Amino acid sequence: MKLEPAFYHRNNVVTIARSLLGKLLVTHKNHDKTSGIIVETEAYSWKERGCHAYGGKCTARNEVMFEPGGKAYVYLCYGMHNLFNVVTNREGIADAVLVRAVEPLEGEEVMINRRGDVGRYQLTSGPGKLTRALGIDRTFNGKTLWTNEVWIEDIGMKFNSKHIETGKRIGIDYAGADANLPWRFMVKGNRWVSRI
DNA sequence: TACGTGATCACG
DNA sequence: GTGATCACGTAA
């Protein structure tokens, strides 16, 4: 069943990033349904330098982060890759969770068509790869996550801290000391987790 | 390890 | 208007 708005409106983005592991990210476009189990996330908070909305800075790109939790924040990275985030917290408090990897569940053929035949474990094992595989582009920016086009679902998969690996977030060296925050979460041993 | 790639943002 | 920058992926 789809996650309710209240799931996203909570104020602890780290807690939400952890609890998104094992949830199912689903897209449905042009009669193609694709889905994957979330196996890697990163938390971002307006209070730290890694975040696009650091210090409450609102721009044309990140304004959806300031809306109530439960929307998609999708932006273009390095001129090529669409990255998918889940906006959290209440209106005006800009927190978000980056989804970095999923394990394919439904529509693997469609994903291969979109990504090319790159091999089973390369299909969705990174933040740019999974958006391509699931057909997520910037037109998804601002969509609520309980529409019929994109949503996140609870499939009863639960992980305790024994099954979750924690680490520093990837690719944010510009964040200074905040780059060391242990806000990256991975399902231990899962084959689709992005880079080591 | 190196670079493609183009939107974005802080300048003025 | 302009230029530096960038929450990545790929080949090598």
Side-chain angles (χ1 to χ4, degrees), chain A residues 10 16 19 22 27 43 71 75 80 84 98 105-106 114 127 139 142 144 156 172 174 184 192:
Chain A
R10 291 177 293 160
I16 297 175
S19 61
T27 62
K71 296 192 172 198
Y75 70 95
M80 280 171 271
F84 172 81
L98 171 66
L105 187 70
E106 300 165 276
R114 290 174 178 152
T139 67
T144 55
I172 54 161
Y174 59 84
R184 179 188 183 203
W192 282 269

Side-chain angles (χ1 to χ4, degrees), chain A residues 77-134:
Chain A
C77 185
Y78 294 108
M80 280 171 271
H81 312 291
N82 293 304
L83 267 54
F84 172 81
N85 297 257
V86 176
V87 174
T88 71
N89 220 317
R90 65 174 204 265
E91 183 169 8
I93 311 290
D95 294 345
V97 176
L98 171 66
V99 177
R100 288 191 54 88
V102 304
E103 172 177 337
L105 187 70
E106 300 165 276
E108 198 160 332
E109 284 304 313
V110 177
M111 297 191 205
I112 291 168
N113 287 339
R114 290 174 178 152
R115 280 271 295 136
D117 194 0
V118 292
R120 188 165 158 70
Y121 299 116
Q122 304 304 316
L123 207 48
T124 55
S125 54
K129 298 178 192 177
L130 75 91
T131 53
R132 186 85 185 270
L134 295 177

Side-chain angles (χ1 to χ4, degrees), chain A residues 3 6-8 10 12-24 37-39 41 43 88 97 152-160 164 185 187:
Chain A
L3 297 180
F7 177 92
Y8 304 102
R10 291 177 293 160
N12 190 328
V13 67
V14 170
T15 301
I16 297 175
R18 293 176 68 100
S19 61
L20 279 171
L21 296 176
K23 301 293 190 289
L24 190 67
I37 301 163
I38 297 172
V39 298
T41 60
T88 71
V97 176
I152 299 179
E153 201 172 294
D154 190 340
I155 54 171
M157 191 175 285
K158 294 251 191 288
F159 297 108
N160 59 38
I164 299 177
F185 304 102
V187 174

Side-chain angles (χ1 to χ4, degrees), chain A residues 37-55:
Chain A
I37 301 163
I38 297 172
V39 298
E40 180 178 346
T41 60
E42 284 177 355
Y44 288 87
S45 160
W46 68 277
K47 297 177 185 172
E48 46 82 20
R49 304 191 101 86
C51 186
H52 289 167
Y54 172 59

